[in-house]
Amino acid sequence: MDQQKFVQLLESVLEPDTDRVKAATSTLKKNYYTSPASLSLLLQLLTSHDSSQLRQLAAVEARSLVSKHWASLPADQKPHVRSQLLQATLNEQVALVRHSSARVISAIAAVDLADGEWTDLPGFLQQAATSSQARQREVGVYILFTLLETMGDEFTSKFRELFALFRNTIHDPESAEVRVNTMLALSKMALVVDADEDPASLRSFQEAIPGMVGVLKESIDAGDEDRTIQTFEVFQTFLGCDSQLLAPHFKDLVQFMINIAADTEIADDSRTQALSFLMQCVKYRKMKVQGLKIGEQLTLKSLQIVTEIGDSAADEEDVNPARSALGLLDLLAASLPPSQVIVPLLHALGPYVNHSNPEYRRAGILALGMCVEGAPDFIATQLNDILPLVLRLLDDPEIKVRQAALHGVARLADDLADEVGKEHLKLIPALVRNLETAMQSVTGDEKDINLDIIKGSCNAIDSLIEGLETKDVAQYLPELIPRLSRLFAHPDFKVKAGAIGAVGSIAASAEQAFSPYFEATMNTLSEYVGIKDSDDELDLRATVTDAMGSMAGAVGPEAFKPYVQPLMQASEQGLHLGNPKLRESSYILWSTMAKVYELDFKIFLDGVVKGLFESLQQEESDLEVELGEEAQDLLGTEITIAGKKVKISAAEGDGRATLKKLSQVAQMADGEDETIADDEEDDDDAWDELTTVTAVALEKEIAVEVIGDVLTHTRKEYLPYLEKTIEAVMPMVEHSYEGVRKAAIGTLYRAYAALWGLAEDGQAGKMDKWLPGLPLKVQPTNEITKLGDMLMTATLAVWAEEEDRGTVTDINRNLAATLKLCGPALVHDTSVLERVTTVVVTIITKKHPCQQDMDDDDDLDAFQESSEYDWLVIDTALDVIIGLSMALGETFGQLWKVFEKIVLKYAGSSESIERSTAVGTIAECTKNMGHTVTPYTSSLLKLLLHRLTDEDAETKSNAAFATGLLCEASNADQEILKAYNTILEKLEPLLHTQEARLLDNAAGCVSRMIMKHKDHVPTEDVLPALVELLPLKMDYEENEPIFKMIIQLYQSNDETMRGLTPRLVPILAHVLSPPEEQLTDDIREQLVELVKYLHKQQPALLQGHESLMSIVTT
């Protein structure tokens, strides 16, 4: 091998000439690195060359070649090479080269120690780590760290000696690097310590925690940014290890991090790192955090930190403690019960909003906005107190407070559209005032905060308007449309987009009332449909596409017809302009057009399906990733990590964990350019841990959802594409990104439901309406059976092991809805039904993987509260139980015994939402299983009698509904009749309130009791009171038992009922008039016959009731 040429090639790699680098790299790989001699030469260069850059490159390349060529080097040369390498590393002055050389040593050791060679290395490192020279201690501990990183499992037998060594080096009196290297080594030991099998190592590790905390504190106090980041990352690593390692110190560690985060004397970077650690605690040790009851402290400290947000605008993504504190609040609200987060936040909100310092007022509304998404149901109950504060802030004298208030309104309306929309008479004028004032005050300065007010006002209107009734939106059109339309020509692209988006939402909510503005708006926006000269223009084009789709839905197919063809053509062209937002908007437009035109959308299906399939078939190997806000300085750039090129795209959410993974991968290379040698296994492993969401994956999520929309609305016209669709979508069920998984599963269920509906309608085979029960009474078509089997195979493959709670929640929803719509065919196979039952049980007992965190040993039952997100998983699983009961009918009675005790436990919960949901589940299951509920009568009746006096109105209402159904369905007459008087006594007060449908459900319950055992109800007293309550105004479902009972009593010639006929006639007139949903078709037919009968008996009673007279005269 030509040594001189070899060195020249390496030197060429270091030059800035790209072409020379490529040529040299190719030659090295092809002509040199295939030979073991190349490794020998690289090791010589590493230990002796004068250039630190060349030594660094030699280390990188040597490390990658060790696994290939070290075994082939002459055995008699190896001792000398090892000795030289150790000595050179100890003497190396450049830290980067020193660390890279240490990794070469660990790579060789991984081979040698496995073969029983280099047995004196551990002793040498022990000696170096205890040397009187700090440099040798630094190198010795660092090499131990790299060895533990490379082959930690093989060192477990040495842990006792290592812990003894590190117990001293963590307190090294001279070198901070020794202390930090010790922490790095301990972090690798933490990954392999078996806490259950090796209690001595567990104790030793726990004893080391205070020392490590001390190292972190020293690094912060010294202002040593690099070492501070390293030590924070070590603590982040511990959160991913066995929970027992940190257990004795966890509370103190969290408190320490809280103190760092809140200390304004500490550097912002350190405070942000501490907040990131706290976020990871909440994410991965949620139950521990909840059990320690520190949610309130975390919330209030975060709120205080938010007051430091300074002059940054509300939509900026600067990395600072205030921004991180908002991120922590968001996570807290989503992860912990409202009592630990939302309640203390709302208690503090008043003083903050009324504070003389505008930064406090702004912090209060920003914090509230961040927490809405995590606990919308609870916040909805507090809106009467919250909205007056929000309205006050919208008129605050400080413009930055108004800006934050606009952001808060948008966040509230996004998650509580209907509830917040009820206050439109106060909110819309306040938003218009802010918009108008800003439009009049805005200057030409791009940093003018009035621009933020305009954008904030548009966004708030956009969000709020979606919660308004069509009739309510109409009154604001003359005021809003002209103002917003003026902004279409504004020079700021984001202002344009905000106004156009708001008009699109207004159109969608106003529906036909938007028609007078439609043509002018479309003509104005048409100039933007084809713009493409910059990213700003393409983003604006996407917003226009979305808005036009909303307008199509508002004005309907006929009015929009002139615009369909050019807009669809522009959307297809938009797919090829390299803008992800525009591509997604094109797909969403197709979804909207399919909804508007339904079967007439057929003419576009070829192109639409082709475009959507092409999206699903895209490769995701480019690794264009989304990182968090901490990667802002990297946006739009390509970086190389472990030899892999990564394009950094939009930052979203908190990026600390992702950046940590990036840094871990980068550490593998120690900042080196690993573009020459082949990737190593450990690099690949590290890369696999880098979980990112690619831009292509985000696009696929939209595309899969749109496929579901299109097939649902085009129905039979989609049949020619259905088979290929299933083939394209099915692999997406196992995609690495949960958004794609959710969308794929949802679309497959929609495909099944669509095919089922077509079959029942005779448009895809011929099939009768399904009947409940197993074995199947109605056989589905072969196509449906095949698709159903594929669907359940895919569902069960994901459902049981899925760790993302949102995906599990969506599967629950889809399965429950499909069981209710299509019946038992999906679970006709016994093994499938058993597996479905097993998964549901794991969810409702909180043992599903998506409900677990790193504290596996915590007793989940000890916590009576759940966050709203956590409860949603259980809530939807209970809905699957209802779906099963509806699909199985009477055969569900055998299955109920699996669920009964767990559901009854929730029905006795201290949380009202859990009680009301569980009692509602009991009601629906009782209704569906019919008489097979009989064996469960005793336990159910006992619970329901107790819940009829529950403090929560919703629970009480559901209990009344369930009690009536149990009385009607159960054949345990003796037991039921014994409770009749008690039931009637408990129902009596419920008949005097409209809250939570109490009156309606109580009336329905009494009616069912009369139908089942009339002789045991004092009808002469009850019936007059019952008729007095009619017609029902809230829960029309209970009209069925009430009028069934009335019809039954007339048929049995009941005197009391006949005597009430004059009072009943106007009630009949009311329910037989619109709205049609007051009655089922069956009950309506029976009531028509009753009206005709009454007319024959007493014609005069119907006089004056035109709707009834029209019945008897037809």
Side-chain angles (χ1 to χ4, degrees), residues 941 945 963 967 979-987 1005 1009:
L941 186 59
L945 287 174
T963 300
C967 290
Y980 251 45
N981 287 338
T982 304
I983 295 171
L984 290 170
E985 288 172 9
K986 289 176 180 282
L987 289 175
C1005 180
M1009 293 171 70

Side-chain angles (χ1 to χ4, degrees), residues 706-718:
V706 169
I707 289 172
D709 290 337
V710 172
L711 70 84
T712 297
H713 294 286
T714 56
R715 298 189 292 278
K716 68 177 183 178
E717 303 299 347
Y718 198 88

